[in-house]
Amino acid sequence: MENFTKHPFLLSSPFELLPDNYLEAVELPLVHSRVAAGFPSPADDYTVEVINLQNFLIKDPDSSYLVKVMGNSMVDARLHDGDILIVDRSLLNRSIKTLTGNVIIGKVNGEFTVKRLICKDQKYYLQPANEAFSALEITEDMDFQAWGVVTWAIHKIKH
């Protein structure tokens, strides 16, 4: 049997847990004018309100946490090394069928990883989003726990 704790995508995808108050006090202006990703519109108004990022991004603060991605096994899902993920544990109350297709935080044989949960041929897998890595089948003899569903990724745009 393959030693999953030495599996390359587990080793490349640990994450750093961020403190509870990481987004707590962050309030930023939100301009009501939408930004055109196509042709710019000069007719928009510029009304501004202040939003609290925690209230905007986190539905259930008591069951949510932030982690920082390390590694590149999810780059094709636009999750890059250094990105901050918002993870909601309350979403684990849904059926595994409902969770299928979501990006989750899982703990496999004592190692944390971020991967997409997929179902294929009535088997469940942790699917990386990088061709350099292979999927890991979740088996009954494996020590696997789901630790939450990734709801947002805060991604720095390269300058």
Side-chain angles (χ1 to χ4, degrees):
M1 179 178 169
E2 183 179 0
N3 182 350
F4 291 109
T5 60
K6 300 299 181 196
H7 197 281
F9 79 76
L10 291 176
L11 294 176
S12 66
S13 300
F15 53 79
E16 172 187 346
L17 189 62
L18 298 172
D20 291 346
N21 62 353
Y22 189 80
L23 290 178
E24 190 171 281
V26 178
E27 292 183 346
L28 297 171
L30 172 66
V31 178
H32 283 235
S33 176
R34 299 182 71 174
V35 177
F39 185 76
S41 172
D44 292 337
D45 64 78
Y46 299 100
T47 306
V48 174
E49 68 177 288
V50 175
I51 64 167
N52 177 303
L53 281 182
Q54 180 172 324
N55 295 338
F56 185 74
L57 299 175
I58 301 173
K59 286 186 177 180
D60 189 346
D62 292 336
S63 64
S64 296
Y65 59 94
L66 306 173
V67 295
K68 188 179 280 187
V69 175
M70 289 188 283
N72 59 8
S73 69
M74 295 297 287
V75 294
D76 293 337
R78 293 183 243 161
L79 301 179
H80 301 270
D81 185 62
D83 286 357
I84 295 170
L85 305 178
I86 299 173
V87 183
D88 189 341
R89 289 183 57 89
S90 71
L91 298 176
L92 295 176
N93 295 330
R94 298 177 179 179
S95 70
I96 193 163
K97 187 175 180 180
T98 304
L99 293 175
T100 301
N102 283 282
V103 175
I104 67 166
I105 301 296
K107 188 175 181 184
V108 180
N109 296 335
E111 302 254 354
F112 287 101
T113 187
V114 56
K115 298 289 176 284
R116 187 172 306 279
L117 179 66
I118 64 167
C119 181
K120 184 177 179 182
D121 300 327
Q122 299 182 340
K123 296 178 181 177
Y124 289 95
Y125 296 87
L126 295 174
Q127 178 70 52
N130 181 333
E131 290 182 1
F133 300 91
S134 56
L136 176 65
E137 181 183 351
I138 301 171
T139 61
E140 288 186 20
D141 62 336
M142 173 188 295
D143 181 16
F144 171 76
Q145 295 176 309
W147 279 64
V149 177
V150 176
T151 56
W152 290 89
I154 301 172
H155 174 78
K156 181 177 181 179
I157 303 298
K158 190 173 183 177
H159 295 270

